Amino acid sequence: MELVQGLHGVPAADSKICYIDGNKGVLEYRGYDVTALAEHSTFEETAFLLLKGHLPNTLERQRFEDELRHHRRLKFKIVDLLKLLPENGHPMDAVSAATAAMGMFYPAYNSEDPEQRHQATIRLLAKLPTLVAAFSRIRRGDEPIAPRDDLGHAANFLYMLTDKVPDKAIARALDVSLVLHAEHGMNASTFAARITGSTLASPYGVISSAISALAGPLHGGASEQSLVLLRSFGSPDRARMWAEENLRSQQIIPGFGHRVYKVKDPRAVMLQKLASDLTEKTGKGGLFDVAVELEKVVTQHLGGKGVFANVDFYNGVVYDRLGIPVDLFPCVFAMSRVSGWLTHWNEHVSKNILIRPTQTYSGEREKKWIPLSDRA
Ligand SMILES: CC(C)(COP(=O)(O)OP(=O)(O)OC[C@H]1O[C@@H](n2cnc3c(N)ncnc32)[C@H](O)[C@@H]1OP(=O)(O)O)[C@@H](O)C(=O)NCCC(=O)NCCS
């Protein structure tokens, strides 16, 4: 069998969750266009859609939201654990470690039991924002803020992060971004979740491994790198000069390119609009103008190769406008994508098969063992 480097284009599962046409820029969750979901649905409704396969009716939506609100709080020992972690460490490592540790408090060792899967799914969805906000405050020497039951998922997160109830437009901007990040087919972190899940490991271990996979700069870590880069320019002209020089030396520019999309990522289109709206609202245009200029130059140079702005590019500008610290960007991504990971985990383990591929071998064979004294 021929080896396909990076499993490029190799199907790893038959799934009913997400449809992507990378040549046309189409993304659908359970058959619904992501643009319509971002315009009309909340993150909670989107998570329900992913998990259950249909949009909730009023009662289903209410029950699901109530369940999530009920499970937002963290055990005090998890908060203590966060307090013991180095404040300069990356928050993705803290969130991954605390998520794995949650498995010790909620043993759910029978992944094939739908009820145990449901409990773990709700807990993970509900608690991840509390974990992220708690670590962000603890590392600055502040006490974590308890969640508020009267706030939605996005507004509650911003409240726990900043100790201020956000205004409706700000909370909705985060909500839209959470909808846009919720699911994306067989990406690296989802594949990691399915692989870990296929061993019937604990769901907390499944999500912890997915968080670690997401953290890398070629995946969710790109959102952080992209904003650091944008902030370093100071003006659109400097962004243009930098890009022209670095593209000549074939440097990889974070926030551009995608394994699947060969046109502009549909989520980038929506996030650009969101970034533009927020920029107008806050009246600070600098960063957005720099981003638009950088996109123009990169597209001129790399559009022919199918490299365009991806989901991480304008999302950084959105999170910057929302006042989210830059190293939390991938954590906020994880707070959303956990819905997709959990949906894939549920789909996989409900008809479980261990994922265990093979490899080709190009190393040496049948060598004679050499005693230590004879080795060079
Ligand atoms: C995401 C990514 C890993 C996809 O990689 P891939 O599918 O393996 O695509 P390739 O590396 O084969 O890219 C095709 C060509 O475009 C170039 N390219 C791809 N992304 C690029 C980028 N961000 N900056 C500059 N050049 C890029 C590659 O160097 C390659 O050029 P070549 O054909 O001359 O060798 C890659 O685009 C990347 O590293 N992007 C930056 C990180 C990022 O934003 N990740 C988040 C993705 S949502």
Side-chain angles (χ1 to χ4, degrees):
M1 193 182 283
E2 193 197 337
L3 171 68
V4 181
Q5 294 289 352
L7 300 181
H8 203 305
V10 177
D14 179 54
S15 176
K16 294 184 166 50
I17 304 167
C18 180
Y19 174 79
I20 305 171
D21 183 334
N23 293 319
K24 293 193 181 138
V26 174
L27 168 60
E28 292 172 2
Y29 301 166
R30 299 284 192 184
Y32 292 95
D33 192 281
V34 75
T35 312
L37 293 169
E39 274 168 13
H40 305 297
S41 286
T42 60
F43 172 71
E44 292 93 313
E45 181 164 275
T46 304
F48 182 100
L49 168 68
L50 288 170
L51 286 161
K52 307 288 180 192
H54 64 273
L55 284 167
N57 63 28
T58 310
L59 186 64
E60 286 172 324
R61 190 172 136 157
Q62 189 61 50
R63 278 200 188 135
F64 187 68
E65 287 177 359
D66 287 349
E67 267 193 297
L68 289 178
R69 283 168 215 263
H70 184 72
H71 285 283
R72 281 176 180 165
R73 280 163 183 73
L74 298 177
K75 300 251 184 218
F76 78 85
K77 282 192 176 177
I78 294 285
V79 175
D80 287 352
L81 182 145
L82 292 175
K83 286 181 178 169
L84 291 174
L85 298 174
E87 51 281 347
N88 293 328
H90 199 283
M92 281 295 262
D93 291 329
V95 176
S96 175
T99 302
M102 266 165 52
M104 301 177 78
F105 293 93
Y106 309 106
Y109 292 122
N110 186 2
S111 302
E112 288 176 300
D113 173 359
E115 185 47 39
Q116 287 196 24
R117 282 210 304 277
H118 177 74
Q119 284 302 323
T121 296
I122 293 292
R123 281 202 184 100
L124 281 158
L125 270 172
K127 291 187 198 301
L128 233 57
T130 320
L131 269 182
V132 175
F135 183 69
S136 176
R137 292 186 63 82
I138 287 167
R139 68 178 172 168
R140 294 200 317 251
D142 295 329
E143 273 302 311
I145 292 172
R148 259 180 55 172
D149 288 349
D150 59 328
L151 298 174
H153 203 73
N156 176 59
F157 170 68
L158 289 171
Y159 163 70
M160 292 188 297
L161 190 69
T162 62
D163 199 12
K164 272 194 246 115
V165 176
D167 82 33
K168 279 211 170 81
I170 295 289
R172 180 59 188 151
L174 177 61
D175 199 24
V176 170
S177 162
L178 295 179
V179 170
L180 293 172
H181 283 82
E183 161 58 14
H184 208 242
M186 198 56 63
N187 55 84
S189 56
T190 300
F191 191 35
R194 284 186 90 122
I195 291 169
T196 310
S198 82
T199 70
L200 301 182
S202 137
Y204 302 93
V206 168
I207 298 306
S208 174
S209 66
I211 292 170
S212 296
L214 181 70
L218 296 187
H219 196 2
S223 57
E224 181 182 345
Q225 294 206 334
S226 170
L227 190 78
V228 169
L229 184 67
L230 289 177
R231 278 187 182 156
S232 72
F233 295 132
S235 75
D237 280 351
R238 288 188 58 191
R240 168 173 284 278
M241 281 181 327
W242 180 91
E244 281 170 348
E245 195 181 315
N246 284 277
L247 285 166
R248 262 195 298 276
S249 58
Q250 304 227 311
Q251 187 168 323
I252 292 294
I253 305 190
F256 291 90
H258 200 279
R259 178 60 65 82
V260 179
Y261 292 116
K262 298 305 159 203
V263 294
K264 186 165 173 176
D265 187 327
R267 301 163 299 173
V269 175
M270 293 219 69
L271 288 161
Q272 180 172 4
K273 166 90 174 56
L274 202 57
S276 164
D277 293 349
L278 283 170
T279 299
E280 214 167 283
K281 183 175 160 62
T282 53
K284 291 183 197 154
L287 204 59
F288 181 70
D289 296 343
V290 169
V292 170
E293 187 63 18
L294 184 62
E295 185 192 3
K296 215 185 283 172
V297 186
V298 175
T299 305
Q300 274 164 6
H301 282 77
L302 296 177
K305 282 187 188 175
V307 176
F308 295 91
N310 62 40
V311 67
D312 293 311
F313 187 60
Y314 284 104
N315 196 51
V317 183
V318 171
Y319 287 175
D320 177 79
R321 299 293 87 180
L322 298 181
I324 297 173
V326 65
D327 60 354
L328 288 196
F329 289 7
C331 299
V332 180
F333 191 159
M335 275 162 43
S336 165
R337 184 56 60 81
V338 68
S339 57
W341 295 330
L342 288 164
T343 308
H344 279 267
W345 170 66
N346 274 282
E347 183 178 70
H348 191 91
V349 296
S350 62
K351 285 189 193 149
N352 194 54
I353 179 161
L354 177 71
I355 298 176
R356 200 315 188 178
T358 185
Q359 59 168 43
T360 55
Y361 178 72
S362 52
E364 294 172 287
R365 288 209 52 221
E366 298 184 350
K367 295 173 81 181
K368 198 163 174 287
W369 189 83
I370 309 165
L372 186 58
S373 54
D374 295 350
R375 292 178 209 162

